[in-house]
Amino acid sequence: MSTLAARALLAVVFWPSLFFFWFLGPFVFFLLSTTSSEVCPLLERREQFLASANGTLPMLVLQNLIYAVPIVCLVLWSRLLPEPARASRVVTCIKLFAVAAVLGALWEYGSSLVCDGYGRPFFSPAWQMTSYLPIANLAVNIPLYVLVFSLGRAFSMREDDPTVDAVHPDGNAS
């Protein structure tokens, strides 16, 4: 497979996953990965809250794996087209993504644990502080989105090489 074909294949995976998973996915995954509001009033003991919150962990892991698809595409692109400037920006994306994933998981797990106020008497006030994590997550995600979008655009754009696209005097492309 040629480098251009591999880049095109990565672009076909990158752009839909970026827009669907990163822009639309959080709404769906947040609803699926937290304890439902119908279940919360029925929970009465600390163990029930813990079991309910721990039940959301597989969805949190799946969510972060799916969110990693655009980052994996960037890493593969940087392996196809090694450039030190882009490689350092990809490393920055990986670091920002790791911070955003941890903040998002803590927020969603904490939301399930305290269950919008129903579980607060059972747990440390530190879990109540998870309600402020979306602000921190937004502060990390905005630069991450901008950086990933700009890198994706740079990697998926075809860089025309005049020597490859040159037409010989006999009319045949090289």
Side-chain angles (χ1 to χ4, degrees):
M1 178 184 301
S2 73
T3 303
L4 185 59
R7 288 174 60 194
L9 182 61
L10 284 171
V12 167
V13 173
F14 175 81
W15 290 110
S17 67
L18 180 71
F19 287 110
F20 179 73
F21 297 140
W22 281 23
F23 297 124
L24 301 176
F27 304 112
V28 173
F29 281 121
F30 181 72
L31 293 173
L32 294 174
S33 62
T34 58
T35 304
S36 71
S37 58
E38 294 84 27
V39 172
C40 289
L42 303 176
L43 302 176
E44 296 177 356
R45 294 188 324 273
R46 184 181 206 281
E47 297 80 28
Q48 291 174 317
F49 279 94
L50 278 173
S52 181
N54 289 341
T56 65
L57 290 176
M59 182 57 72
L60 290 174
V61 170
L62 177 66
Q63 173 182 339
N64 284 327
L65 289 175
I66 290 173
Y67 284 168
V69 170
I71 300 296
V72 170
C73 288
L74 289 178
V75 169
L76 292 174
W77 264 326
S78 69
R79 305 277 280 161
L80 285 172
L81 300 168
E83 287 184 31
R86 284 187 188 163
S88 67
R89 292 173 66 197
V90 170
V91 169
T92 302
C93 284
I94 293 169
K95 291 176 183 177
L96 286 172
F97 178 77
V99 169
V102 168
L103 289 175
L106 281 174
W107 171 47
E108 292 178 23
Y109 185 77
S111 297
S112 292
L113 197 61
V114 297
C115 224
D116 298 328
Y118 294 104
R120 287 191 178 150
F122 297 121
F123 302 103
S124 163
W127 284 110
Q128 296 173 17
M129 299 301 289
T130 60
S131 63
Y132 296 107
L133 286 177
I135 297 167
N137 208 3
L138 192 61
V140 171
N141 276 323
I142 289 175
L144 176 63
Y145 289 176
V146 170
L147 189 58
V148 167
F149 184 84
S150 67
L151 278 171
R153 185 171 168 263
F155 278 127
S156 64
M157 298 291 289
R158 181 174 177 192
E159 295 153 358
D160 291 329
D161 185 2
T163 60
V164 172
D165 292 333
V167 176
H168 291 278
D170 60 2
N172 296 326
S174 57

